[in-house]
Amino acid sequence: MSDLSNKVILTLAPTGNVPTRQLTPHVPITPQEIAADAYACWKEGAAVVHIHTRDNEGNPTSDVDVNREVMAELDKYADCDMIRQVSTGGRAGKSFTERGQMLCLSPDMSSLATGSSNFPAKCNFNDPETISYLAAEMLKYNVKPEIEVFDTAMIWNAIRLAEKGEIKTPLHFNLVLGVAGSQPATVEALMYCYQNLPKDCTWGVSAIGKDHVKLSSIALALGGHVRVGIEDNIYFAKGVLATNVALVRRMKNIALAMGKEIATPAEARQILGLTPKK
Ligand code: ZN
């Protein structure tokens, strides 16, 4: 096995639930657009694609058929071995069964928020019943959770759930910084999360807002991985709309300048303990 300790996993979050075509023309909405953008970003070094789906009107949906369509579109890029991560986030479905309906497709990974917090105008609702249901579905379909940490209590709850056997270890965390209503995108918030992560975990950051580059760079320096994409930042710089490719390319170049190497999807699978792609 090659030395993986210096490798950085770049995750692409191309769409999310919030960005609309009115906000930015660069957000991919349809399954075809999402797959095409993922492929272009894979060529730039992204190893994981974090998938949100939209209905025909562009509204967030967890619909299993739309998710299946995205997977089929990704399959068309036969040379692309990107890791596929679906979202069970609370903005796209009401009940937990609705939110977890695509897990039966056995994607490599899925987001799992291990607690409730607030979005700017809505509750990020994840009560114990919801979390346990989604975690059990992930176990059933061999899907590795990415623990989405909107507030630090979610770290300790993930550790507790792992101790109870509801989530497999080693855990993988995504520290989400800068969602209005949850923990801020500050160095202090990042360090507090970092210092409280369990020893044997893997982790990355998803930094939203103007300090995205600064906080992502600190995560890289600490040995973390980084998520980029229009889901997290519609702006590349003040007044300049982002493209997914430009966001990935910039973070790749920062990582390379710091002496890091970019993990291929195969290497990211080893780092995350995923089964090799068939
Ligand atoms: Zn997401």
Side-chain angles (χ1 to χ4, degrees):
M1 193 189 284
S2 60
D3 177 22
L4 299 172
S5 61
N6 198 40
K7 302 270 181 182
V8 174
I9 301 170
L10 295 178
T11 294
L12 168 71
T15 305
N17 284 321
V18 178
T20 59
R21 274 284 152 69
Q22 288 71 43
L23 288 172
T24 171
H26 304 303
V27 61
I29 301 279
T30 66
Q32 293 78 5
E33 290 167 353
I34 291 169
D37 226 6
Y39 184 66
C41 289
W42 168 72
K43 288 195 157 177
E44 285 293 334
V48 181
V49 56
H50 170 80
I51 299 163
H52 284 261
T53 47
R54 304 289 185 91
D55 64 18
N56 288 335
E57 279 73 54
N59 297 313
T61 177
S62 300
D63 192 291
V64 64
D65 291 327
V66 185
N67 277 273
R68 193 179 281 118
E69 229 185 295
V70 174
M71 302 302 171
E73 288 298 325
L74 285 166
D75 286 342
K76 290 182 183 171
Y77 298 96
D79 56 337
C80 180
D81 58 349
M82 231 172 168
I83 294 166
R84 300 170 186 187
Q85 181 188 96
V86 297
S87 168
T88 58
R91 277 175 167 131
K94 289 181 191 75
S95 66
F96 49 70
T97 48
E98 237 176 89
R99 285 168 53 178
Q101 62 181 293
M102 80 299 282
L103 294 170
C104 66
L105 302 175
S106 288
D108 301 295
M109 300 179 79
S110 171
S111 66
L112 178 67
T114 46
S116 299
S117 62
N118 282 331
F119 294 129
K122 194 172 181 267
C123 180
N124 180 14
F125 180 84
N126 301 287
D127 70 343
E129 191 185 13
T130 300
I131 300 165
S132 290
Y133 172 80
L134 292 172
E137 289 290 288
M138 291 178 205
L139 276 180
K140 182 169 149 192
Y141 293 111
N142 193 27
V143 181
K144 174 151 183 155
E146 174 176 277
I147 311 297
E148 304 298 330
V149 177
F150 292 83
D151 272 316
T152 38
M154 299 182 195
I155 296 174
W156 293 295
N157 199 30
I159 294 169
R160 191 181 68 90
L161 292 167
E163 284 168 357
K164 287 169 67 184
E166 294 192 38
I167 313 174
K168 275 194 212 164
T169 54
L171 299 173
H172 178 67
F173 292 90
N174 182 37
L175 310 176
V176 185
L177 305 166
V179 170
S182 300
Q183 64 192 351
T186 61
V187 178
E188 290 76 11
L190 169 55
M191 291 312 293
Y192 188 66
C193 287
Y194 170 71
Q195 286 161 354
N196 286 288
L197 290 171
K199 289 225 158 25
D200 62 344
C201 76
T202 51
W203 65 279
V205 296
S206 181
I208 290 136
K210 66 178 176 49
D211 290 325
H212 159 66
V213 173
K214 181 170 83 181
L215 292 167
S216 301
S217 303
I218 294 170
L220 288 173
L222 292 168
H225 305 285
V226 177
R227 184 173 104 175
V228 300
I230 289 174
E231 170 170 352
D232 297 339
N233 290 290
I234 66 167
Y235 289 104
F236 185 81
K238 197 166 185 235
V240 182
L241 287 171
T243 65
N244 283 311
V245 165
L247 290 167
V248 171
R249 188 179 293 153
R250 175 169 65 183
M251 201 48 60
K252 174 181 72 176
N253 287 333
I254 291 169
L256 293 174
M258 291 171 81
K260 302 269 177 186
E261 295 168 90
I262 306 303
T264 63
E267 290 165 340
R269 281 177 191 280
Q270 286 183 51
I271 293 166
L272 296 167
L274 299 173
T275 43
K277 192 170 160 61
K278 308 99 199 138

